[in-house]
Amino acid sequence: MQRRPLFMAAAMAACLPFTGAYAQEFPPKKPVTMVVGFAAGGSADIAARIIAKKLTENIGQSVIVENKPGAGGNLAHAQVAHGPVDGSVLLFGSIGPLSISPHFMKVSYDPLKDLAPITMGVTFPNVLVVPASRGIKSLGEFVAAAKREPGKLDFASTGPGSAAHLAGELLNDIAKIDTVHIPYKGGAPALQDVLGGRVSSFYAAPPTALPHIESGKLIPLATTGLTRPAYLPNVPTVAETYPGFNATNWYAFVAPGKTPKPLLDRWNVELVKVLNTQEVRANLLKHGQTASPTSREELTKFISSENEKWGRIIRERKITAD
């Protein structure tokens, strides 16, 4: 009669080293790497560094931001998808590689299987800007100029399959214009060419564009979300002219797909704590981004729905990576 309780106790004890090992591994004994798929100085990089700084303070372990630009962020996503699963690598994933690019280009990872959702990071619309030297002051003038000279105006993006790329293609379709896509490896290099007048326009992330909008070097024509953001209250949305237009940007935290669930759950707790910190929220908002923490389950459903939405649009509009 005594054997069963003793057996159960022994079985429970046998499990403790396994679960305890994960607990002891957090935070990892080595520095944590937060991979960003775009160049330093862009919107993803700015947000990642704000979050990494507070995360370092909270967990007592170094969190190093690693920029790995290329292929619209796909290189970074592929690297992390096949990376170490000990909880030492996080990816500040983006809408393009997670929900858009796999629908029209060959990638070496499955965003729904090879990357494990942790929490949404930040959300924000892009803003269509032109250099002041262009003399274009409204979305209507931009569309009119594009219609006068088809193929003459171009637009920069942070890479093929990015939200900026899709925003430009959607405007081409809905406004019946022909502007040419110019992909870059991140927001910072794209911005420099727009400021220099080498590219006609840019669907820019607010963090990179706002200082130059305030200085008058860039003219904001419209934002790409459904509502006007608080930091650009006088700039109309594209949807105000073309109802239903919506190309909102977002960055979410994911990890290699085979990372153990206890580590993923713990990272969710720590990252949500950081994103709910008033200091972090205020700093992100100052750069035009809204902290948007979620549960792992909520992010999983969101990424799946975004995949369905953009996949359908790409097929219907015959959008390519060229």
Side-chain angles (χ1 to χ4, degrees), residues 167-191:
E169 297 291 358
L170 288 179
L171 186 61
N172 275 346
D173 185 79
I174 199 168
K176 308 305 179 187
I177 58 177
D178 178 20
T179 57
V180 180
H181 176 223
I182 308 294
Y184 287 81
K185 291 185 177 181
L191 182 67

Side-chain angles (χ1 to χ4, degrees), residues 31-222:
V32 175
T33 301
M34 184 182 292
V35 181
V36 176
F38 301 99
S43 59
D45 178 69
I46 291 170
R49 292 181 188 279
I50 290 171
I51 295 166
K53 181 176 183 295
K54 189 62 178 178
L55 190 59
T56 294
E57 296 174 5
N58 285 3
I59 68 174
Q61 176 62 285
S62 296
V63 179
I64 301 169
V65 174
E66 176 186 316
N67 298 93
K68 189 176 180 61
N74 289 301
L75 292 183
H77 287 65
Q79 171 184 302
V80 173
H82 305 297
V85 298
D86 59 0
S88 65
V89 176
L90 302 173
L91 171 65
F92 201 38
S94 56
I95 177 177
L98 289 175
S99 297
I100 300 174
S101 300
H103 294 288
F104 62 77
M105 66 172 60
K106 185 176 181 180
V107 295
S108 62
Y109 63 93
D110 183 333
L112 302 179
K113 295 179 180 178
D114 297 330
L115 291 165
I118 299 175
T119 177
M120 177 62 76
V122 298
T123 58
F124 55 93
N126 283 324
V127 54
L128 174 59
V129 295
V130 295
S133 59
R134 270 273 167 195
I136 296 174
K137 297 182 179 179
S138 71
L139 179 62
E141 291 181 9
F142 180 83
V143 170
K147 287 185 175 181
R148 280 196 305 272
E149 298 182 283
K152 184 70 177 293
L153 292 182
D154 47 24
F155 69 93
S157 83
T158 50
S162 63
H165 177 196
L166 266 291
E169 297 291 358
L170 288 179
L171 186 61
N172 275 346
D173 185 79
I174 199 168
K176 308 305 179 187
I177 58 177
D178 178 20
T179 57
V180 180
H181 176 223
I182 308 294
Y184 287 81
K185 291 185 177 181
L191 182 67
Q192 289 307 308
D193 274 4
V194 176
L195 287 169
R198 290 178 287 278
V199 182
S200 305
S201 62
F202 180 24
Y203 290 85
T208 57
L210 283 173
H212 304 287
I213 291 174
E214 292 169 355
S215 71
K217 293 179 181 178
L218 293 178
I219 304 299
L221 305 182

Side-chain angles (χ1 to χ4, degrees), residues 222-299:
T223 55
T224 62
L226 292 175
T227 59
R228 298 186 184 192
Y231 44 82
L232 289 171
N234 298 320
V235 178
T237 65
V238 177
E240 290 176 38
T241 302
Y242 302 102
F245 185 102
N246 184 23
T248 303
N249 217 329
W250 50 267
Y251 295 113
F253 285 100
V254 296
K258 294 182 179 179
T259 302
K261 184 177 181 298
L263 288 176
L264 296 172
D265 290 342
R266 185 60 189 275
W267 273 124
N268 174 268
V269 170
E270 295 299 334
L271 286 164
V272 168
K273 184 189 301 180
V274 168
L275 290 165
N276 279 326
T277 302
Q278 185 58 36
E279 169 195 355
V280 170
R281 297 180 72 87
N283 204 357
L284 288 170
L285 192 59
K286 184 172 68 176
H287 291 283
Q289 304 188 66
T290 302
S292 307
T294 63
S295 68
R296 293 189 56 230
E297 293 74 19
E298 288 170 334
L299 180 57

